[in-house]
Amino acid sequence: MSLSVHDLTITRGGIPVLEGLNFSLEPGRALILRGPNGVGKTTLLRTVAGLQPPLSGRVDCPPESIAYAAHSDGLKAMLSVTENLNFWSDVFGRKDISAAIQAFDLAALTDRMAGTLSAGQKRRLGLARLLVTGRPIWVLDEPTVSLDTASVRMFADAVRAHLQAGGSALLATHIDLGLSEAEVLDVGPFRAGPNSTVPGGFDEGFL
Amino acid sequence: MSLSVHDLTITRGGIPVLEGLNFSLEPGRALILRGPNGVGKTTLLRTVAGLQPPLSGRVDCPPESIAYAAHSDGLKAMLSVTENLNFWSDVFGRKDISAAIQAFDLAALTDRMAGTLSAGQKRRLGLARLLVTGRPIWVLDEPTVSLDTASVRMFADAVRAHLQAGGSALLATHIDLGLSEAEVLDVGPFRAGPNSTVPGGFDEGFL
Amino acid sequence: MGSIWEYANPVKFSRTAGLVLPWVSIGATVTLVVGLVWGFFFTPDDYRQGSTVKIIYLHVPSALMAINVWFMMLVTSLVWLIRRHHVSALAAKAAAPVGIVMTVIALLTGAIWGQPMWGTWWAWDPRLTSFLILFLFYLGYLALWGAIDDPDTAADLTSVLCIVGSVFAVLSRYAVNFWNQGLHQGATLSLDKEENIADVFSTPLYISIAGFVLLFIALVFLRTRTEIQKRRTKALLARERLG
Amino acid sequence: MISLLIRDLKLAFRAGGGFGLGLAFFLIVTVLVPFGVGPESSLLSKIAPGILWLGALLACLLSLDRILALDWEDGSLDLLATSPLPLEGVVTIKALAHWLTTGLPLTLAAPFFGLLLSLPEPGYPWLVLSLLLGTPALSVIGTFGAALTVGIKRGGLLLSLLVLPFYVPTLIFGAELARRGAEGLATTTPLLMLAGITFGVIALLPFASALVLRVNLR
Amino acid sequence: MISLLIRDLKLAFRAGGGFGLGLAFFLIVTVLVPFGVGPESSLLSKIAPGILWLGALLACLLSLDRILALDWEDGSLDLLATSPLPLEGVVTIKALAHWLTTGLPLTLAAPFFGLLLSLPEPGYPWLVLSLLLGTPALSVIGTFGAALTVGIKRGGLLLSLLVLPFYVPTLIFGAELARRGAEGLATTTPLLMLAGITFGVIALLPFASALVLRVNLR
Ligand code: HEM
Ligand SMILES: Nc1ncnc2c1ncn2[C@@H]1O[C@H](COP(=O)(O)OP(=O)(O)OP(=O)(O)O)[C@@H](O)[C@H]1O
Ligand SMILES: Nc1ncnc2c1ncn2[C@@H]1O[C@H](COP(=O)(O)OP(=O)(O)OP(=O)(O)O)[C@@H](O)[C@H]1O
Ligand SMILES: [Mg+2]
Ligand SMILES: [Mg+2]
């Protein structure tokens, strides 16, 4: 269940943004991606999650082992918190959502429609979804946006528990999560330059 | 140009969330609202900005002196960065956007469609809008979401410059902005209880 | 001899197109002028249709082109989806506006012809109707190109649209034939009489058709080259921004 | 105000902005009708004015949810509400932009569609006149409906449903004007009524729209 | 899969979910047609099958942009694409949910609307049969269109434009079946063609939809 990335070059809007990326993520480990705004973290995570193809290089990981969470939470405003979680747990073939509800302190909100939650409550619900997927590799894009400090700690605990259970996590974030055991990878140095030599970037067939 | 709030009680979804709020904001000062997720910060800021009426109490501030920025930035994906800024500057009757572009380091992105920006770049553009409004009181809801540390500093500098020019700012945030001169108000203690005595809450005409 | 796919390289294509373009353009101009002038001024009036018959020299070539351009787009779309050569997708993009213009010309000349012949500008004859449907397919295809920002995404989506659309276009053709059978027998008689056309009429017609074909080739080369240049400019700008 | 109009028009002309789609939709409805009811031109020419009006109305209807919902989704509407522009002005400009990008092109293109449905000769000027007079009302009423439903996700269908009854008088007098024109009957009454509806609606409805918009924003 | 279907149906029945709106829209179109074309019942009964089919088609069309766009906007589609469900299954379920909430109710309600347009007596069973056979094709084709335009903000109008030409064969055979039924003519050919189109479309189009959806997600 380990994820490894070999010599990856990724593009956004036809332009290479990061190139020559190599890293691997063993079970039980967490890797935090850092880098300035616009460097290409989101694009990298989408590529790893299989939502977009890389320009070159490859992502090795067992299919169907990734749980992806992005900027938007995929919540249905007109379904209650329980219904939202139940749906995802059904889709991923697991049944029990009470652990997830407990881990993100949603017990008081279970019957509320997701649309009436505050920004931070929505985010907590979005994160609780990860627990019901039962997938070993978490790929998370700025997971703690809008969370208060208590909830950030709650999230860090959830990640830690996940790691202890043999899972792994790849996170992009700008703030400190208090996950001291996680490795940090600054993607800044991998920014693709104008004389990128990877074939296919810049539509260079057109040059 | 000062803002003051007297004995304010605010509701969300028909339920009082914060009650008995009193604070005032003088020119040149910044006030940071803190409180756990779901306590009612967003609701408070919307009330202050005049987007929803308070249940009781009042908000005193000269009309048309507030620039409001919420979770969503009001950007048009199919307009370029310059066009987006120019539009808001026209609406607010000011003409020059170059200071705003400079303050948030958008010069390299001016011709890009707003839809193709990264999360942090979008946010920077949304914040740059504040500078073209020329309004003295900034009311900001989690302004630094998705920003990297350099951009957070940039934002803090912009707020500081705004304060020095006689403006003021009311911010809700969960992270540290590095604005040491700002006062902090924890709204937690003002959470409305079930025996709130404010008339009109809980639709108590029906009780 | 190199494979034909060499020309799938945009640069190579541009260069070759640049070489061929003047000749094709000259050929198109000459054949069109000869065909149309001959057809309009040096053929006798038809004994039944009078001089209106001469509109055939615009009508038939444009109608033929309208269908064949869609067919060409279908082929280039398939090539794009299978081999992912940008030139192919761009050629489809370049051809579509030409195709829709041909369709409009066919429809307009048909309408102008129909006025004296059938006493009406428009009738829901199966052939005319299926042409109108073809026009709608072109319209949707172009609208989809126009609505999507990212060129590769747009190329993928329009290609699928073109392929699925072709199937439905054929289906519609049969549906329309069926639909108007019971009500309008014989309305199609005034079409379909190529056999009756005498040689005096047909030679300029063939020249004119050749002219339209050459014109189409010239336009597609030209427009594909423009599209390539646009992409090139965009790529250069992007690279510059990174540097 | 002007800058809002310019922005809206610009957005309409950009990729995905939807200019011309109303027209295309109108065309398609006109084409589909004969498929539904059959190709007899005597039958078609009888129902032509009504169908053309219905087509224009539907094309209008389908583009209504762009008037305000886009601005709501990306938060622009909140920002506009806190800007110096009066909300009444905002909704008027929005309606105007909608008419310029939908109603006006429909009006200008209607004669061609009339040909497809074998509209009788004398009907053409009346068709254009009735649309020119009537479509502004459709845009203004539509903006009211859009303001009513702006908080609802993908409220397009609900919007159509709310707005359709409001469209009935305009449709009746508009189609009646076009039909009487086509049949050479007296046209004064529907003409006056149509003009009356349009001007009344333009003068009064923006206030209601601004009101409900304010309610929806809070 | 089942849970996706259940979720979609549940959402359709919740406030703002749009169940019943298609029906209401159908009703209104049926009611507006006599306003547009005049009240003569002989004329109406002649165009009734066609208009009913058109109305059903338009009601279907108006709800298409809910099929996928809502899930796209809130990010569910990304999550579904990374879930164990195959995307082909997702689009099929989406089409099924759309048919259950739109096509099926329309089919069941059509006879009542037929009354409003004085549809001739023998036409009723044929009308229902034709809609029952034809509306699934409308949903499946509509899902293809929705997948094509899912990345476009408020692409409703573009969606209609793309989808309508695809609806032509279904409309022709469907309306023809209903009309021939109403007039007591032979119905075998349109019946077979309609069934053929529907089954062909159900069998093949989901693959194309999943393909374009994948392109749009990247
Ligand atoms: C707007 C209306 C019309 C459209 C869209 C239309 C369409 C077409 C098309 C598609 C063809 C080429 C068919 C082929 O060769 O495979 C064609 C050919 C032809 N059309 Fe038209 N037509 C229209 C009106 C008319 C009228 C009014 C007449 C004359 C009365 C006419 C006479 C012919 C003739 C003689 C040919 C060539 C014979 C043939 O190729 O079968 N068309 N038309
Ligand atoms: N269509 C496009 N054309 C050109 N550049 C684009 C396009 N779309 C995105 N980009 C650029 O690609 C880069 C990578 O974006 P991405 O969203 O991956 O950044 P990020 O690291 O996630 O940033 P953030 O921390 O702000 O979320 C950005 O600089 C963005 O501006
Ligand atoms: N319709 C509703 N019914 C009941 N409660 C509601 C409704 N809408 C919102 N709430 C509740 O009102 C409270 C205030 O929400 P608000 O968005 O103002 O919180 P916040 O302080 O901004 O939180 P965050 O830090 O997470 O953004 C939340 O607890 C929310 O769950
Ligand atoms: Mg990002
Ligand atoms: Mg908040």
Side-chain angles (χ1 to χ4, degrees), chain C residues 227-239:
Chain C
E227 293 291 341
I228 291 175
Q229 237 118 48
K230 268 202 249 164
R231 277 294 278 277
R232 185 182 145 88
T233 321
K234 221 181 121 205
L236 284 172
L237 279 176
R239 171 181 281 195

Side-chain angles (χ1 to χ4, degrees), chain B residues 53-77:
Chain B
L55 179 61
S56 73
R58 66 179 202 283
V59 178
D60 281 341
C61 97
E64 314 236 310
S65 61
I66 288 182
Y68 172 69
H71 290 297
S72 32
D73 291 313
L75 302 178
K76 289 289 163 196

Side-chain angles (χ1 to χ4, degrees), chain C residues 3 26 38 44 54 56 64 72 92 96 109 112 115 118 134-135 155 165-166 185 187 189 195 203 213 221-222 226 240:
Chain C
S3 117
I26 292 172
W38 186 351
K54 292 176 177 176
I56 201 172
L64 284 175
M72 170 236 161
T109 49
I112 293 167
Q115 177 58 14
W118 306 338
L134 181 64
F135 176 71
S166 305
Q185 263 115 4
L189 273 186
E195 301 86 50
T203 316
V213 172
F221 273 12
L222 189 69
T226 321
E240 197 173 291

Side-chain angles (χ1 to χ4, degrees), chain A residues 23 35 42 61 109 160 163 184-185 205:
Chain A
F23 61 82
T42 299
C61 97
L109 303 170
R160 233 172 261 127
L163 299 183
V184 172
L185 174 69

